[in-house]
Amino acid sequence: MKIYYVYILKCSDKTYYTGFTSNLEQRFFEHQEGKHIESYTYKRRPLELVFYFEFSEVGFAIDTEKQIKKWSKIKKEALINNEYEKLPNLAKKKFK
């Protein structure tokens, strides 16, 4: 069974990058080495792998990556810190 990963990298400028891969170790190496000059992480190295999920279904992994990419920095940090109870409140829109 093939495993897919959704991962979050912390960049040197304190931003987060969320990605998807079937080979986490290789993909992280590519980010660290700057394989793709045009990528978000290229000028933000060094990087730290701060979180990842494993999936057995590629479609679910891709959908999860797309969802997390839309999240705020605060919500991503709650996920990274295993503060799952905070996620529902961070998802609610604030109205004035």
Side-chain angles (χ1 to χ4, degrees), residues 72-88:
S72 67
K73 182 177 182 177
I74 293 171
K75 189 169 181 178
K76 288 176 187 175
E77 288 175 342
L79 180 66
I80 291 163
N81 294 321
N82 297 318
E83 298 172 328
Y84 304 117
E85 70 282 356
K86 292 183 177 181
L87 295 177

Side-chain angles (χ1 to χ4, degrees):
M1 174 173 53
K2 190 157 185 155
I3 300 294
Y4 303 93
Y5 301 89
V6 172
Y7 59 93
I8 301 175
L9 303 177
K10 186 173 185 178
C11 302
S12 63
D13 64 358
K14 309 293 187 226
T15 60
Y16 293 103
Y17 174 83
T18 303
F20 159 82
T21 187
S22 61
N23 187 331
L24 186 58
E25 186 177 324
Q26 178 64 33
R27 187 66 185 112
F28 181 66
F29 177 79
E30 291 171 356
H31 280 293
Q32 281 288 62
E33 293 299 308
K35 181 177 180 183
H36 302 286
I37 295 172
E38 72 284 352
S39 74
Y40 180 83
T41 58
Y42 184 81
K43 293 182 180 178
R44 293 172 170 86
R45 296 174 291 155
L47 308 164
E48 177 184 0
L49 177 65
V50 292
F51 193 83
Y52 68 91
F53 282 130
E54 292 183 3
F55 297 89
S56 57
E57 294 183 30
V58 67
F60 191 54
I62 291 169
D63 290 345
T64 301
E65 177 207 18
K66 288 178 182 178
Q67 181 182 25
I68 293 172
K69 281 186 174 206
K70 295 176 186 175
W71 288 3
S72 67
K73 182 177 182 177
I74 293 171
K75 189 169 181 178
K76 288 176 187 175
E77 288 175 342
L79 180 66
I80 291 163
N81 294 321
N82 297 318
E83 298 172 328
Y84 304 117
E85 70 282 356
K86 292 183 177 181
L87 295 177
N89 282 338
L90 294 172
K92 295 179 182 174
K93 294 187 186 247
K94 307 278 191 259
F95 296 100
K96 292 183 179 183

